[in-house]
Amino acid sequence: MSFESLITYEIKRVSNLFDITNPALSDYIKTKKTFCIIDQNLADYASSLKVYFQKNDIEAHYFFVEVSEKNKNIQSIIDFTAFCFKHEIGRRDPIIAFGGGIVCDLGGMSANLLRRGTPCIKIPTTLCGMIDAGVGIKNGVNYADSKNSLGTFYPPTVVFIDLKFLKTLSEKEIKNGLVEMIKIIALKDKGTWSLLKRNINKFIDKDFDLEVVELIDRSIAFMTEELSTNLLEDNLYRIVDYGHEFGHLIEIITDFELSHGEAVGIGMRLSNNMAYSRGLMNVKDYEDFNGVFDKLNLPYWHKSLSCQKLYAKREAISRHKGGNFSIVALYKIGDPFFIKTMSFTDMEYACGAMNVMEHSHNSSNNNRPDPGYLPKPVYIPDALVFDVGGTNLRAGRYSLSQQKLVSTKKKNTPNIWNTVSNGLPYDTLIKGMIELGKALFPDEEPGIVTIGFPGPITPAGEILSTPTIWGDQFKGSASLISYLQSFWPHSKVNVINDVSAAGYFLKDHYSEDFCVITVSSGIGSKLFINGKPYTGIMGRGGEIGHWVSDTSDEALMCECGGKGHLGGISSGRGALAHAKMQAMLEPKAFEISHVGKIRPNYTEITNEALVTAYSANDEWAKTVIDKTAKQLAKVIALIHTTTGMELFIIIGGFSIALGETYRKSIAEFAGDFCWDLGQNWDEMIKIGPEETEMGLIGAGIFSNAINNSIYENR
């Protein structure tokens, strides 16, 4: 059973909202009774509002609030809602929030809590409220030394934008709003940025001509465009958080001595400084952004701030982003991206640049900081990453500064089935890795080398087993680190499990803990808890492919030499072996099947033929795949029952090729094996993204974490 609810609300640009002949506001007060929460600084306009309601026969009650971040708290909500109950608010009597962003937050949250939801009308009077806080559906108050840490999602019935109210604002409030305007325009549109540059001083002078009005309208449109597809923040990667990740922390650290706009302005500059230091932000746009911002003469810093304090708060950013650190920055105006790692060196550079920029601004005749004064950007060498698969050996060059895979190479993996060797093709594998590494790094040494390897890996990087490429011939343990370290002596070499590498990729796509399961030529798994794989102190965890699933005499053999292992049953190789056995045991059923028509000789059945028949709803193929899927579902149900894990992400070429029907079968079977406590298995089991370089990218993300720890502990 599932339900959907459409979220709708109106944003209306109006003129002379409180003119007694203007029905725009009164039309939304059907009950002829309303409750207003008003910024006490708007007493003159409140008088006009009272006259408006009297002339329109509306019973109105007025609650004035002293606006400050310190009063944006749960007590203010309690005081206002108590006032509403005292005057007998009805279920459909609307709340009117008349003021800036703080008043809109207090009014919206109160409306949501009163009788589980009364109508809310927002009339933002500040530039910040009009283009940011007032036009969304978020409402919040400050709590436990955190900004907006208590709050709700609740859409207003309507938001009225009357630019007349901007005339009431102080220069500081205008600048606060301009920071939000700079933010959304820098994120969205280079052309509008040029329009802003030409007109920014008009805002300070309160010269609201047609171009200024156009800038306000575009800012509202840009903001609502970003919010409309993610109103409930299902996706925590939000570009509109630009500057706010640090900005909210700065407000708390400075005890709100800096205004919201001032704090967010510093936050945006810190993000830009990090992007510039990594060589990611275009120099011209970096200068351009700083030049526009400097026209506002806002603070660069505050005496309460320090690099150490801000860096120490990075976990607060991660918690706010669902466990995954990210801050928004710009490649250039109109082209945002996410910085997903931050070292202390990054923070040092960003803060140091602020001090240099402030000095340059104060001593410059043209009020324009010269990037030539800035510290030299930090050079971060790229990482060399490997994904050792049963079929292919892949290598990639991963940019730690850009946080992306920039080039790849591959060749066949030397395994016991395709390589002639007196023993294990160990040396052949090492030579192949060095060959690919040299092709990707012909003239320099990588900063970090990370290998995603199929099999259990100890914390020291030793390989305990690897049946996917060396079958049952591998005994004891071995280390790739010493071999590769001798070739790249200045690099930090790491070996991690290949499924762990894939998990590092997936953790940027899923905010909750999960179990990743790969179904390809073999089967593996890893529990990811708090963004890291849990494998036990010896690295032996997560090897469900070698859990004995079938104890019958007819059980299939696994690559490791064991019998009845899950990997020998439910992997691509296992499904193929089972299909051939069924075809041999039931030749007539096989003959009339879709697979039999594609491959009449059962010894020539391929995974491709099996997938094609399964996708065509062939009963014989479905019976084969369902038998293998049932064994996998049994293990998934066991993991859930023993650990409480609620999300299982299935990856690997074979599972992705089988697709949605396969996923649904596993979900159904898992429910059959598990105690029914209300689990929604259809939601708990997902097919992961179709990314062929998942292992390489995941190894790169792991390399980023290693790089950060090197800088932090230097």
Side-chain angles (χ1 to χ4, degrees):
M1 185 179 295
S2 62
F3 302 92
E4 290 186 5
S5 179
L6 183 66
I7 296 174
T8 60
Y9 61 102
E10 298 179 89
I11 300 173
K12 292 188 172 185
R13 268 257 280 112
V14 295
S15 298
N16 300 313
L17 183 62
F18 297 162
D19 187 312
I20 59 175
T21 63
N22 186 347
L25 178 57
S26 60
D27 282 351
Y28 283 87
I29 308 174
K30 306 296 184 184
T31 63
K32 292 294 184 177
K33 184 176 181 180
T34 187
F35 292 76
C36 306
I37 181 169
I38 303 174
D39 181 345
Q40 67 177 17
N41 295 314
L42 295 172
D44 290 343
Y45 277 107
S47 298
S48 300
L49 184 59
K50 289 179 181 179
V51 172
Y52 178 87
F53 286 142
Q54 288 169 359
K55 295 294 184 181
N56 285 279
D57 296 320
I58 293 171
E59 178 188 342
H61 300 271
Y62 306 93
F63 183 90
F64 291 90
V65 62
E66 181 182 349
V67 173
S68 71
E69 286 289 346
K70 291 187 177 180
N71 284 342
K72 185 185 174 184
N73 56 36
I74 196 66
Q75 188 60 50
S76 294
I77 299 285
I78 292 170
D79 292 345
F80 176 55
T81 52
F83 171 84
C84 292
F85 282 120
K86 178 181 177 181
H87 294 280
E88 300 180 341
I89 186 171
R91 184 68 182 270
R92 296 290 181 259
D93 297 337
I95 300 296
I96 294 178
F98 180 46
I102 290 175
V103 171
C104 287
D105 266 331
L106 293 174
M109 188 166 171
S110 298
N112 193 182
L113 296 175
L114 280 161
R115 305 188 190 280
R116 300 188 185 91
T118 56
C120 180
I121 298 169
K122 292 184 179 180
I123 308 173
T125 59
T126 63
L127 183 58
C128 182
M130 290 179 185
I131 66 177
D132 185 83
V135 297
I137 70 169
K138 292 202 300 183
N139 311 287
V141 295
N142 306 328
Y143 180 73
D145 294 327
S146 295
K147 277 276 290 186
N148 299 323
S149 50
L150 293 179
T152 67
F153 292 102
Y154 188 64
T157 305
V158 63
V159 180
F160 289 113
I161 306 293
D162 188 341
L163 301 185
K164 176 182 178 181
F165 298 129
L166 296 180
K167 293 285 187 179
T168 68
L169 299 182
S170 66
E171 182 176 304
K172 184 171 184 177
E173 280 296 340
I174 290 284
K175 288 180 177 180
N176 279 335
L178 279 172
V179 170
E180 294 291 352
M181 182 175 284
I182 288 171
K183 176 201 80 171
I184 195 65
I185 292 174
L187 290 169
K188 296 292 289 184
D189 187 59
K190 183 79 170 181
T192 306
W193 180 259
S194 298
L195 183 65
L196 175 63
K197 286 166 60 177
R198 292 199 308 270
N199 291 281
I200 195 164
N201 287 330
K202 291 180 183 177
F203 283 92
I204 308 298
D205 298 335
K206 297 184 183 178
D207 177 13
F208 300 123
D209 65 9
L210 290 177
E211 287 197 334
V212 168
V213 172
E214 176 67 17
L215 281 166
I216 293 171
D217 286 345
R218 288 194 197 181
S219 297
I220 293 171
F222 290 150
M223 191 67 184
T224 54
E225 179 184 87
E226 279 302 312
L227 295 178
S228 63
T229 59
N230 192 30
L231 275 173
L232 299 178
E233 297 186 4
D234 296 310
N235 180 2
L236 294 176
Y237 287 102
R238 305 168 68 245
I239 64 170
V240 293
D241 285 340
Y242 180 37
H244 290 64
E245 303 100 340
F246 288 123
H248 285 171
L249 299 178
I250 289 168
E251 287 181 87
I252 297 296
I253 292 171
T254 63
D255 197 25
F256 299 106
E257 288 185 16
L258 291 180
S259 69
H260 179 69
E262 290 168 343
V264 170
I266 293 173
M268 285 193 282
R269 289 191 179 220
L270 288 171
S271 296
N272 287 356
N273 290 345
M274 286 189 195
Y276 177 75
S277 75
R278 296 182 179 192
L280 298 177
M281 188 172 184
N282 177 286
V283 176
K284 182 177 180 299
D285 288 87
Y286 180 74
E287 276 191 90
D288 200 11
F289 185 96
N290 289 334
V292 169
F293 227 98
D294 286 335
K295 291 180 180 180
L296 302 184
N297 287 308
L298 293 175
Y300 287 85
W301 205 242
H302 186 275
K303 61 185 179 182
S304 300
L305 296 175
S306 70
C307 177
Q308 289 78 10
K309 285 181 182 178
L310 286 171
Y311 186 69
K313 294 285 188 179
R314 66 194 184 282
E315 289 302 322
I317 296 176
S318 297
R319 286 193 297 272
H320 185 67
K321 298 297 181 76
N324 297 317
F325 178 87
S326 71
I327 56 174
V328 183
L330 301 174
Y331 286 124
K332 56 186 178 182
I333 302 299
D335 189 8
F337 73 103
F338 294 96
I339 294 176
K340 296 183 180 179
T341 62
M342 181 180 72
S343 68
F344 186 70
T345 297
D346 292 326
M347 196 76 248
E348 275 186 315
Y349 178 90
C351 296
M354 294 297 290
N355 292 327
V356 174
M357 289 160 65
E358 181 176 25
H359 173 76
S360 175
H361 174 66
N362 292 338
S363 62
S364 172
N365 292 328
N366 60 4
N367 287 340
R368 189 77 177 274
D370 178 0
Y373 284 104
L374 294 177
K376 185 178 179 181
V378 178
Y379 171 69
I380 304 175
D382 292 347
L384 172 60
V385 291
F386 292 99
D387 181 14
V388 183
T391 305
N392 290 312
L393 169 61
R394 299 176 185 272
R397 182 168 184 143
Y398 188 90
S399 169
L400 296 177
S401 60
Q402 299 179 59
Q403 300 170 60
K404 67 178 183 180
L405 196 63
V406 293
S407 56
T408 62
K409 299 282 183 183
K410 74 173 183 178
K411 63 185 303 179
N412 290 337
T413 301
N415 56 49
I416 61 170
W417 296 280
N418 65 17
T419 305
V420 178
S421 174
N422 291 329
L424 294 177
Y426 194 82
D427 292 340
T428 311
L429 176 64
I430 296 291
K431 288 176 182 177
M433 295 173 76
I434 291 173
E435 176 189 327
L436 294 177
K438 285 172 64 177
L440 291 164
F441 288 81
D443 301 314
E444 81 257 53
E445 198 170 323
I448 291 174
V449 179
T450 298
I451 305 122
F453 200 82
I457 309 294
T458 71
E462 286 194 348
I463 302 162
L464 296 178
S465 183
T466 178
T468 303
I469 60 172
W470 292 334
D472 61 353
Q473 296 185 27
F474 179 82
K475 306 295 181 185
S477 63
S479 174
L480 296 173
I481 294 178
S482 57
Y483 287 90
L484 296 179
Q485 195 78 70
S486 64
F487 191 80
W488 290 294
H490 301 103
S491 302
K492 169 67 176 172
V493 181
N494 316 276
V495 181
I496 61 174
N497 174 263
D498 59 340
V499 184
S500 294
Y504 279 106
F505 171 89
L506 292 169
K507 78 179 182 68
D508 283 347
H509 293 72
Y510 300 92
S511 58
E512 63 265 53
D513 294 340
F514 60 86
C515 176
V516 54
I517 297 173
T518 179
V519 182
S520 53
S521 54
I523 284 188
S525 67
K526 287 292 177 286
L527 294 178
F528 260 72
I529 299 172
N530 296 326
K532 295 180 180 179
Y534 180 75
T535 61
I537 59 173
M538 288 303 296
R540 296 170 179 148
E543 297 299 327
I544 63 170
H546 301 283
W547 184 72
V548 179
S549 176
D550 184 355
T551 58
S552 70
D553 293 338
E554 299 79 24
L556 296 169
M557 295 297 294
C558 179
E559 299 156 340
C560 70
K563 190 174 182 181
H565 289 191
L566 185 66
I569 298 168
S570 300
S571 66
R573 288 176 181 170
L576 183 59
H578 181 61
K580 290 179 178 180
M581 178 184 291
Q582 287 300 112
M584 182 180 66
L585 294 174
E586 300 174 356
K588 289 185 178 180
F590 169 68
E591 185 179 331
I592 62 173
S593 72
H594 192 86
V595 181
K597 292 173 183 176
I598 299 172
R599 296 282 181 175
N601 185 342
Y602 75 85
T603 63
E604 296 177 355
I605 298 175
T606 62
N607 281 123
E608 290 78 9
L610 203 54
V611 168
T612 300
Y614 184 79
S615 301
N617 296 316
D618 176 61
E619 278 301 317
W620 188 86
K622 190 174 188 310
T623 300
V624 169
I625 296 299
D626 279 356
K627 185 168 183 178
T628 68
K630 188 173 289 188
Q631 295 295 330
L632 177 58
K634 184 191 295 185
V635 177
I636 289 174
L638 177 64
I639 294 172
H640 166 70
T641 303
T642 54
T643 68
M645 188 61 66
E646 295 282 333
L647 177 60
F648 296 84
I649 305 166
I650 301 176
I651 61 171
F654 190 61
S655 62
I656 289 172
L658 292 171
E660 179 65 6
T661 303
Y662 177 68
R663 184 199 67 80
K664 286 185 174 179
S665 294
I666 293 174
E668 183 180 337
F669 293 141
D672 293 340
F673 286 116
C674 191
W675 187 17
D676 184 359
L677 296 174
Q679 298 95 329
N680 185 343
W681 282 101
D682 196 53
E683 287 293 319
M684 290 167 60
I685 294 180
K686 300 182 183 298
I687 296 286
E690 192 170 350
E691 170 57 70
T692 57
E693 306 298 359
M694 186 183 296
L696 289 179
I697 297 171
I701 292 169
F702 176 82
S703 299
N704 251 333
I706 294 296
N707 182 66
N708 287 343
S709 68
I710 290 171
Y711 279 115
E712 288 168 26
N713 297 305
R714 63 197 169 95

